[in-house]
Amino acid sequence: MAARSGQKRQPAALTRREKVESRETAILSAAQKIFAARGYGKTTTAEIAAAADVAEGTLYLYYKNKEALGRAVLADFYRRVTENARRGVEKCPATREKLEFLARHHLKNVIRERRIIELVYILEREMDSYEGGQLYQMNRAYVAVFDNVLREGVARGEIDATMTPWITRDIFYGSLEYAMRSMLIRDRQKSLEQVVSELVDLVMRKTSPTEDNHPSFANRTGDAADRVLDAARRLERLLAAQETKGEYK
Amino acid sequence: MAARSGQKRQPAALTRREKVESRETAILSAAQKIFAARGYGKTTTAEIAAAADVAEGTLYLYYKNKEALGRAVLADFYRRVTENARRGVEKCPATREKLEFLARHHLKNVIRERRIIELVYILEREMDSYEGGQLYQMNRAYVAVFDNVLREGVARGEIDATMTPWITRDIFYGSLEYAMRSMLIRDRQKSLEQVVSELVDLVMRKTSPTEDNHPSFANRTGDAADRVLDAARRLERLLAAQETKGEYK
DNA sequence: AGAATTAATGAGTAGCACTCATTAACGAAA
DNA sequence: TTTCGTTAATGAGTGCTACTCATTAATTCT
């Protein structure tokens, strides 16, 4: 505590710079909390100001307007979630585990902070060349984690590279976000694991025991294996019919 | 033109009922036009009233508030798009063609009327039991077109039924809507066909000639066992569902 | 035609995001 | 410590927007 110039500073007394920074984070986290609870549309700037313990006018010293505040909240969400995704993926040895981790992680986060995610749709796109927009870049950085896993998996031979990478990515994240909506209506926990595993299967092209459409499997004759296979096929048809009947009116 | 009671009606003179109805559709289509052009948030009720050639107060005789108007516009969109999907699917003989039609149709529509689609995210959920909500029902009716194609395809043996139907559906529509965002940034037309065909491949599990990589092909004897096991698992699930029937409503 | 019912109007209201003239807090120089 | 220039904070005020409601107009009924 010696060398830092002649300035005495008690723990409670903050320097000017520190005060400004703490105010900024206070506003941001107040906004994040209220947006997450009430949603962007129903949140008033007055509420945010009160929660951050500043005057309404002060908000506008730190953020240009409510929309900019929303953008900042969303950007912060991307930052957190990207960081966590990176860290989690590092720990997984195999591609399948990485993908499963990413899927689970994404689903959990979009469910927990779905009102923050909605900002993606609510906020107007930044007008100047969308590609250069901040949120576009942050989203890029986030999905890049998946892209890397995919690329690595293909290089290692753990994934078949039949699909265009960006389409694979769209399928991955698109399915998850759409599935979230379904899951919020149905039971949550059980479906989560189901969605994750089926989606990862799909992306990895582990087509599991369904290859009978393939020409090379057309009628093999004779042995016990075949008869079991045939039984399986018939069971599957029956099941499919039953399952679909029950689920959709 | 004879029998209809003693009422004389010139083509220009509308009965009261007709007038009311024409006003209603005038308001609805004005709203639809402006929402589609400017987006919900930037559209004012004054604008809509002017475009529909009524006073501002009149809007509120027909729709409870701006949100209800948004809901009506979205509902109308679902109605049109569901009808078109149904008609288009009818004309296709094979499952693959049906799916391709649906994918193309959906993509084109969400791109063209994306500001209407955004209403799904912007509008607050109707609070009372979301499942019974009007928009939930309309969305159900729309995706049911896909569900039927899927079910039929499975019954015909054109699609393997390894995946849970509702997850397949989420993957289908989720991918398309997410892909839309990517497509709006990249070049549009070329990617459209690419997305459609790769997605349909995926859903149909036509894994193309790359499935030799799959482990289960290394030892073929495992196949049948896998499938029976899988069928057993599904049977268990089905029975469990039957026992707790009514859970899924 | 006159009465009764229903539809349409637009000035008025409340609530919101945002501004700006004023005040307070700070830090460096005297 | 006091002074003073600079930066930060304030909150009453502004304009815009969704929505209301007392009044007026249109339509049907008797």
Side-chain angles (χ1 to χ4, degrees), chain A residues 121 125 166-175 177-178, chain B residues 103 106-108 110-111 114 121 170-188 191-196 198-199:
Chain A
Y121 302 96
R125 295 221 165 92
W166 73 266
I167 295 183
T168 309
R169 184 221 297 149
D170 285 355
I171 287 170
F172 190 76
Y173 286 107
S175 303
E177 287 186 26
Y178 202 90
Chain B
H106 186 78
L107 253 185
K108 279 186 183 162
V110 297
I111 286 177
R114 69 199 101 106
Y121 302 95
D170 286 355
I171 286 170
F172 191 75
Y173 286 107
S175 302
L176 289 174
E177 286 186 27
Y178 202 89
M180 174 199 70
R181 284 203 260 161
S182 303
M183 285 177 53
L184 287 177
I185 295 161
R186 294 159 163 269
D187 60 304
R188 310 192 177 198
S191 332
L192 195 144
E193 284 308 318
Q194 206 184 341
V195 169
V196 167
E198 294 198 16
L199 181 60

Side-chain angles (χ1 to χ4, degrees), chain B residues 25-181:
Chain B
T25 64
I27 291 171
L28 191 67
S29 73
Q32 124 80 26
K33 227 170 277 170
I34 307 183
F35 284 155
R38 289 222 217 308
Y40 180 83
K42 291 214 193 300
T43 299
T44 70
T45 51
E47 275 179 298
I48 297 172
D53 204 36
V54 296
E56 246 190 288
T58 307
L59 292 187
Y60 295 89
L61 296 177
Y62 291 87
Y63 298 93
K64 196 179 136 226
N65 50 29
K66 190 184 172 187
E67 210 175 300
L69 194 43
R71 248 181 255 290
V73 167
L74 186 54
D76 189 65
F77 171 77
Y78 272 129
R79 219 170 289 127
R80 278 183 288 131
V81 91
T82 303
E83 187 53 32
N84 289 337
R86 275 212 192 99
R87 265 208 286 270
V89 161
E90 264 173 24
K91 286 180 192 151
C92 301
T95 300
R96 162 166 284 274
E97 282 165 307
K98 287 178 206 265
L99 290 178
E100 278 176 358
F101 170 82
L102 278 183
R104 214 179 340 247
H105 173 261
H106 186 78
L107 253 185
K108 279 186 183 162
N109 276 287
V110 297
I111 286 177
R112 183 158 37 81
E113 308 199 44
R114 69 199 101 106
R115 314 221 74 152
I116 304 296
I117 290 286
E118 281 173 6
L119 290 171
V120 171
Y121 302 95
I122 293 168
L123 268 25
E124 279 289 312
R125 297 219 164 95
E126 38 259 91
M127 56 274 104
D128 48 287
S129 70
Y130 178 51
E131 288 221 17
Q134 185 204 192
L135 289 180
Y136 174 77
Q137 292 301 340
M138 303 217 64
N139 183 68
R140 282 287 283 232
Y142 175 53
V143 298
V145 179
F146 173 83
D147 291 342
N148 287 331
V149 171
L150 185 65
R151 195 178 314 140
E152 194 192 54
V154 170
R156 284 193 198 171
E158 293 185 70
I159 300 179
D160 293 332
T162 30
M163 287 198 303
T164 313
W166 72 267
I167 295 183
T168 309
R169 183 221 297 150
D170 286 355
I171 286 170
F172 191 75
Y173 286 107
S175 302
L176 289 174
E177 286 186 27
Y178 202 89
M180 174 199 70
R181 284 203 260 161

Side-chain angles (χ1 to χ4, degrees), chain A residues 15-16 19 43-45 56-57 60 65-66:
Chain A
T15 156
R16 192 159 204 163
K19 241 186 182 171
T43 299
T44 69
T45 52
E56 245 190 290
Y60 296 88
N65 51 27
K66 190 184 172 188

Side-chain angles (χ1 to χ4, degrees), chain A residues 69-133:
Chain A
L69 195 42
R71 249 183 255 287
V73 167
L74 186 54
D76 189 65
F77 172 78
Y78 271 128
R79 221 170 287 125
R80 279 182 290 132
V81 92
T82 304
E83 187 51 33
N84 289 336
R86 276 211 192 97
R87 265 210 286 271
V89 161
E90 267 174 23
K91 286 182 191 150
C92 301
T95 299
R96 162 166 283 274
E97 284 164 307
K98 285 178 208 263
L99 290 178
E100 279 177 357
F101 170 83
L102 278 183
R104 214 179 338 246
H105 174 262
H106 187 78
L107 253 185
K108 280 185 183 164
N109 276 286
V110 295
I111 286 177
R112 183 156 39 80
E113 307 197 45
R114 72 199 101 107
R115 315 223 73 151
I116 303 297
I117 290 286
E118 282 173 4
L119 290 172
V120 171
Y121 302 96
I122 293 169
L123 269 25
E124 279 289 312
R125 295 221 165 92
E126 39 258 270
M127 56 274 108
D128 46 288
S129 70
Y130 179 51
E131 289 223 17

